[in-house]
C-alpha cells in the first residue's frame, strides 16, 4: 500500500523504537521522568519559550491552551476553516465552554483588520474575547504557510488589546522548512504554541505545548484534569526527541515529493490541483475523471493507493517519510492508467 491519507500514518523508525526501549523513565506526574523533562526543555528552547509540556495529542494541546487561557462564556477568534473549529469535535465549546468566532481567511490567513474588528468591546451584552488562534501550516488550506508578517500583524493587534495568541502549529516545522524561517521566528508571534511530534516528524505519539512558565504551570494542572498525567511517559517522549533531532530537515523531501505528485497528477486529464502546494499536502479535484471523490478513493484502494476523501469532489494526498519518491511516481502512473 502507498498510504497518502495523512502524515499521521508513519510508523516509528528503528531509532525511535530503540530510544523507547532504552528510555530512562520516572513518574512524570512528579516531574521525575528524565526523558520527558529533556524533550520539554529542548522543545521550549527550539520555540524560544520559557517552558513546554508533553501532551498526548495536538487536540489535547489545543484544548489545554483554551482551558488555560479562557473561562466559560469567553469568545475565541479563529479562522473559519481552522482545525480547532472544524475537526476537534466542538471541544472548545464542550470543554472550555468558549464560543468560537470564525473569520473566513484567504489560504488560511485572516485579515488583521477583520481580526481587530472582531474583538469585542467592553459591554455587558458581549462575551469577552480572550484568545486568538492561528494555525500554521493551515491544514484545510492545503498545508499553506501563513506568512510571518500576517502573524506579526495579528499578534500586534492582540497585544495592544491584551489578548493572548495561541498558535496551532501541528505542522509548524513544515512551515519553517518551507519558508526558510525558524520555528522560533513563527513562535515569536504567539504567546503559546502547540506542535505535533506525530505528524511529519514521525513520532508515534504526542505533541508539545510551549509558552510562559506561568502558563505551563497552569496547563500542567489542566493536563492532569484531562487524564493526561501519563507516569512513565518517557517511553513515548524518547521517540519524540528522536523525531525532533532527526526528522526536521528531511521534511523538505516530503515537500519536494508533494510537488512531484502535484505536477504528475495535474497532467492527467480530468484532474485539477486545487491548492498551491507549499508543503506536504495536495488537494485534488477529481470531478473531471468521471468518478466522485468516494468512488475515486475506492478505485485507488483497489490499486493499493490510499488517499483521503476531502469533499464530494476532492481528495487529499499527504506526503511523509513512509512514502518515497519512487512510490510517488508509481502512484502517478497507476492513477494515469486508471483515468486514461
Ligand atoms: C492543524 C492541526 N491541528 C491539530 C491537529 C490535531 O492533532 P491530533 O490528531 O494529534 O489530535 C491536527 C491533526 O491533523 C491538525 O492538522
Amino acid at each position: 500500500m502507498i498510504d497518502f491519507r495523512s502524515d499521521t500514518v508513519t510508523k516509528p523508525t528503528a531509532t525511535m523504537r530503540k530510544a523507547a526501549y532504552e528510555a530512562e523513565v520516572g513518574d512524570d506526574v512528579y516531574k521525575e521522568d528524565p526523558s520527558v523533562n529533556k524533550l520539554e526543555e529542548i522543545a521550549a528552547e527550539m520555540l524560544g519559550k520559557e517552558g513546554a509540556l508533553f501532551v498526548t495529542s495536538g487536540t489535547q494541546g489545543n484544548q489545554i491552551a483554551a482551558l488555560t487561557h479562557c473561562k466559560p462564556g469567553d469568545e475565541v477568534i479563529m479562522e473559519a476553516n481552522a482545525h480547532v473549529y472544524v475537526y476537534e469535535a466542538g471541544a472548545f465549546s464542550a470543554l472550555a465552554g468558549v464560543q468560537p468566532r470564525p473569520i473566513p481567511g484567504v489560504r488560511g490567513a485572516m485579515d488583521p483588520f477583520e481580526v481587530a474588528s472582531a474583538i469585542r468591546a467592553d459591554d455587558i451584552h458581549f462575551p469577552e474575547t480572550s484568545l486568538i488562534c492561528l494555525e500554521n501550516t493551515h491544514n484545510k488550506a492545503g498545508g499553506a504557510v501563513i506568512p510571518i508578517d500576517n502573524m506579526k500583524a495579528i499578534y500586534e493587534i492582540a497585544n495592544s488589546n491584551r489578548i493572548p495568541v495561541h498558535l496551532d502549529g501541528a505542522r509548524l516545522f513544515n512551515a519553517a522548512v518551507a519558508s526558510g524561517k525558524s520555528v522560533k521566528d513563527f513562535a515569536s508571534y504567539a504567546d503559546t504554541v502547540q506542535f505535533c511530534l506525530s505528524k511529519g516528524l514521525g513520532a508515534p505519539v504526542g505533541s508539545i505545548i510551549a509558552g510562559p512558565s506561568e502558563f505551563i504551570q497552569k496547563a500542567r494542572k489542566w493536563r492532569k484534569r484531562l487524564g493526561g498525567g501519563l507516569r512513565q511517559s518517557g517511553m513515548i517522549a524518547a521517540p519524540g526527541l528522536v523525531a525532533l533531532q532527526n526528522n526536521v530537515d528531511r521534511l523538505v523531501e516530503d515537500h519536494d515529493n508533494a510537488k512531484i505528485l502535484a505536477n504528475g497528477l495535474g497532467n492527467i486529464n480530468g484532474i485539477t490541483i486545487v491548492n498551491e502546494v507549499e508543503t506536504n499536502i495536495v488537494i485534488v479535484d477529481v470531478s473531471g475523471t468521471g468518478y466522485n471523490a468516494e468512488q475515486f478513493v475506492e478505485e485507488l484502494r483497489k490499486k493499493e493507493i490510499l488517499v483521503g476523501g476531502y469533499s464530494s469532489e476532492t481528495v487529499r494526498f499527504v506526503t511523509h517519510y513512509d512514502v518515497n519518491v519512487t512510490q510517488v511516481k508509481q502512484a502517478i502512473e497507476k492513477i494515469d492508467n486508471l483515468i486514461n
Side-chain angles (χ1 to χ4, degrees):
M1 283 288 180
I2 307 176
D3 195 344
F4 290 107
R5 287 171 302 167
S6 175
D7 46 10
T8 57
V9 301
T10 54
K11 307 271 168 47
T13 59
T15 320
M16 288 179 190
R17 289 169 193 267
K18 188 164 181 283
Y21 182 74
E22 291 174 353
E24 216 186 314
V25 295
D27 190 331
D28 182 50
V29 174
Y30 297 136
K31 301 188 191 172
E32 286 173 6
D33 189 302
S35 305
V36 174
N37 292 344
K38 187 170 172 198
L39 172 64
E40 290 176 345
E41 267 163 41
I42 289 174
E45 162 68 27
M46 283 174 109
L47 292 173
K49 299 296 180 200
E50 284 174 2
L53 195 64
F54 181 51
V55 296
T56 55
S57 66
T59 302
Q60 192 185 58
N62 289 334
Q63 296 315 317
I64 289 174
L67 287 157
T68 309
H69 284 299
C70 312
K71 59 184 186 316
D74 286 350
E75 190 165 77
V76 179
I77 294 175
M78 60 191 68
E79 202 278 324
N81 277 316
H83 195 277
V84 288
Y85 187 54
V86 182
Y87 292 123
E88 297 192 11
F92 267 34
S93 309
L95 304 181
V98 296
Q99 165 172 299
R101 178 79 179 269
I103 311 272
V106 176
R107 305 190 68 239
M110 294 182 282
D111 180 337
F113 178 76
E114 287 181 33
V115 172
S117 312
I119 293 172
R120 299 287 189 170
D122 182 11
D123 181 303
I124 195 167
H125 298 93
F126 294 158
E128 232 174 85
T129 307
S130 60
L131 186 63
I132 298 172
C133 273
L134 304 177
E135 182 176 318
N136 210 353
T137 62
H138 195 289
N139 181 352
K140 225 166 158 22
V145 179
I146 303 302
I148 204 150
D149 288 346
N150 177 266
M151 287 186 60
K152 181 170 186 268
I154 293 175
Y155 188 59
E156 282 167 2
I157 289 163
N159 276 348
S160 60
N161 287 277
R162 293 202 180 80
I163 298 169
V165 172
H166 173 68
L167 172 61
D168 175 357
R171 297 187 179 80
L172 187 60
F173 285 87
N174 295 84
V177 166
S179 63
K181 302 211 162 18
S182 68
V183 285
K184 207 181 260 183
D185 291 337
F186 285 103
S188 70
Y189 298 118
D191 298 281
T192 59
V193 182
Q194 179 277 119
F195 75 82
C196 290
L197 293 157
S198 62
K199 296 206 161 56
L201 297 181
V205 189
S207 276
I208 291 287
I209 45 176
S213 306
E214 199 188 332
F215 168 89
I216 294 299
Q217 203 183 328
K218 288 184 188 154
R220 189 177 286 280
K221 193 151 195 164
W222 272 113
R223 186 184 68 172
K224 187 75 181 77
R225 280 195 191 106
L226 295 175
L230 289 185
R231 310 299 176 181
Q232 287 74 40
S233 40
M235 299 292 292
I236 50 175
L241 189 55
V242 172
L244 269 187
Q245 286 168 339
N246 295 358
N247 286 354
V248 172
D249 293 342
R250 64 147 308 284
L251 289 173
V252 73
E253 288 170 36
D254 299 344
H255 300 173
D256 289 347
N257 284 343
K259 289 192 181 91
I260 292 170
L261 186 66
N263 283 337
L265 295 179
N267 284 331
I268 299 173
N269 263 346
I271 287 186
T272 313
I273 308 302
V274 174
N275 63 321
E276 187 190 316
V277 178
E278 285 182 88
T279 57
N280 65 335
I281 299 178
V282 183
I283 301 171
V284 168
D285 186 325
V286 296
S287 52
T289 63
Y291 297 110
N292 64 30
E294 202 182 327
Q295 293 163 336
F296 190 81
V297 170
E298 201 35 52
E299 289 304 314
L300 261 53
R301 179 184 289 275
K302 290 182 201 156
K303 300 207 167 295
E304 307 211 312
I305 300 168
L306 300 179
V307 296
Y310 206 54
S311 72
S312 57
E313 297 180 336
T314 57
V315 299
R316 188 182 82 155
F317 292 72
V318 185
T319 54
H320 51 78
Y321 78 58
D322 277 340
V323 174
N324 61 36
V325 67
T326 310
Q327 290 171 309
V328 168
K329 289 178 181 164
Q330 277 168 1
I332 297 167
E333 203 181 318
K334 284 185 180 184
I335 296 169
D336 196 8
N337 290 341
L338 171 75
I339 309 294
N340 295 306

